[in-house]
């Protein structure tokens, strides 16, 4: 009888202890959930950074692309085509420079854009020459030509892939899961076709056009802004913006700093 009473008492103690232990995770989980809450940008305080990118010096003229190996491609261009590596006007305004926030955003989180970023294959050239998108955003490739192309991104931190796309084929959709700069893209069918892809975790990037760029809706803070060009390298500047403040940031690349082919 004593043994039975002891066993019942012991069982009650164990049940009470288990119930007590079971309640602890419920209490402890709350701070974890709070600490993992997203830090979003307060749109009432955002500012912007804008400016120009110029080239100091006259670039070496590029050699026209030889498309004679593909009669269709050659026919699409009555005039010679030069590689779009250095696109600069008479005033020295430099296009195709990627300007982005390199550092300073901390733990802000951002939604992935729903609209795709499109890379066209037209006239046996990639258009645009430089593209930028966010992690997880759809990367769409179209073939507007009457010849077969293939799209071959060659990343270091993302998955490499290589897909053929004949005339009239449906667009190729893919995504990049990790941030990565200057992913080279080539067409194994037409070796002169080259492009670059930039993948960011935030929306603060721009590609200069006629030398101009703008980074909108930045929260107040101190940032490292980087400008990248495929021939002339990178240039960094640090800038601090306050609430609702707009600041100019200008970059100049020198021809003498061009990297060798």
């Amino acid at each position: 009888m004593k043994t039975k009473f002891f066993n019942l008492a012991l069982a009650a103690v164990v049940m009470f202890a288990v119930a007590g232990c079971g309640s602890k995770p419920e209490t402890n989980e709350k701070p974890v959930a709070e600490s993992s809450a997203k830090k979003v940008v307060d749109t009432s305080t955002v500012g912007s950074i804008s400016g120009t990118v110029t080239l100091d010096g006259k670039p070496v003229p590029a050699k026209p692309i030889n498309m004679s190996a593909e009669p269709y491609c050659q026919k699409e261009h009555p005039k010679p085509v030069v590689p779009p590596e250095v696109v600069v006007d008479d005033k020295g305004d430099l296009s195709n420079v990627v300007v982005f926030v390199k550092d300073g955003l901390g733990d802000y989180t951002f939604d992935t854009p729903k609209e795709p970023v499109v890379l066209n294959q037209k006239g046996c050239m990639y258009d645009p020459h430089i593209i930028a998108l966010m992690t997880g955003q759809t990367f769409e490739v179209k073939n507007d030509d009457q010849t077969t192309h293939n799209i071959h991104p060659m990343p270091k931190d993302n998955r490499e892939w290589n897909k053929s796309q004949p005339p009239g084929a449906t667009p190729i959709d893919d995504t990049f899961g990790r941030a990565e700069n200057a992913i080279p893209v080539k067409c194994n069918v037409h070796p002169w076709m080259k492009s670059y892809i930039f993948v960011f975790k935030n929306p603060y990037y721009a590609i200069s056009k006629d030398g101009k760029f703008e980074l909108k809706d930045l929260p107040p803070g101190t940032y490292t802004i980087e400008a990248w060009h495929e021939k002339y390298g990178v240039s960094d500047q640090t800038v601090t913006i306050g609430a609702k403040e707009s600041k100019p940031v200008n970059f100049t690349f020198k021809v003498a700093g061009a990297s060798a082919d």
Side-chain angles (χ1 to χ4, degrees):
M1 188 72 178
K2 289 182 179 181
T3 302
K4 184 177 181 180
F5 177 79
F6 177 78
N7 289 339
L8 288 172
L10 180 62
V13 171
V14 170
M15 289 178 64
F16 179 78
V18 169
C21 292
S23 64
K24 286 182 180 179
E26 195 174 309
T27 310
N28 291 340
E29 283 177 1
K30 291 180 181 179
V32 174
E34 290 174 1
S35 65
S36 62
K38 292 183 178 180
K39 182 181 178 182
V40 297
V41 174
D42 181 357
T43 56
S44 67
T45 65
V46 295
S48 65
I49 294 171
S50 61
T52 59
V53 186
T54 55
L55 185 64
D56 182 6
K58 190 174 181 179
V60 177
K63 294 181 180 179
I65 297 171
N66 182 6
M67 298 186 183
S68 60
E70 174 61 86
Y72 169 82
C73 299
Q74 192 171 33
K75 185 180 177 182
E76 287 293 292
H77 299 279
K79 296 181 180 180
V81 179
V82 296
E85 296 174 349
V86 180
V87 180
V88 60
D89 61 21
D90 294 337
K91 298 181 291 183
D93 295 328
L94 189 60
S95 296
N96 287 341
V97 177
V98 185
V99 184
F100 58 95
V101 173
K102 180 180 179 180
D103 188 46
L105 283 169
D107 54 356
Y108 281 108
T109 58
F110 304 93
D111 293 330
T112 302
K114 295 181 179 179
E115 66 278 6
V117 172
V118 179
L119 181 66
N120 286 310
Q121 297 167 105
K122 188 173 183 179
C124 301
M125 298 288 287
Y126 286 130
D127 181 30
H129 181 56
I130 309 286
I131 69 168
L133 70 165
M134 286 182 61
T135 52
Q137 186 174 7
T138 300
F139 170 53
E140 185 174 281
V141 186
K142 295 181 178 180
N143 183 4
D144 292 334
D145 287 331
Q146 295 303 309
T147 187
T148 297
H149 291 299
N150 80 302
I151 180 78
H152 186 183
M154 297 174 289
K156 294 181 180 178
D157 298 327
N158 285 277
R159 173 180 54 85
E160 182 176 353
W161 51 272
N162 185 0
K163 300 178 182 180
S164 294
Q165 194 173 39
T170 57
I172 295 172
D173 290 344
D174 214 307
T175 59
F176 297 92
R178 298 182 180 91
E180 186 171 351
N181 292 347
I183 300 173
V185 182
K186 70 177 182 178
C187 173
N188 294 339
V189 181
H190 307 107
W192 63 82
M193 292 178 65
K194 297 178 182 179
S195 181
Y196 288 95
I197 300 171
F198 280 72
V199 186
F200 297 101
K201 290 183 178 180
N202 63 75
Y204 303 118
Y205 52 86
I207 301 172
S208 68
K209 184 177 181 180
D210 299 327
K212 297 179 177 59
F213 72 89
E214 184 176 14
L215 306 177
K216 300 179 180 179
D217 302 327
L218 270 168
T222 298
Y223 302 102
T224 301
I225 309 298
E226 183 161 291
W228 173 96
H229 188 271
E230 64 181 292
K231 293 288 288 185
Y232 303 124
V234 298
S235 177
D236 289 0
Q237 291 193 44
T238 300
V239 59
T240 299
I241 63 170
K244 299 182 180 181
E245 186 177 17
S246 298
K247 279 195 174 180
V249 175
N250 300 317
F251 293 92
T252 300
F253 289 94
K254 295 182 180 294
V255 171
S259 59
D261 291 333

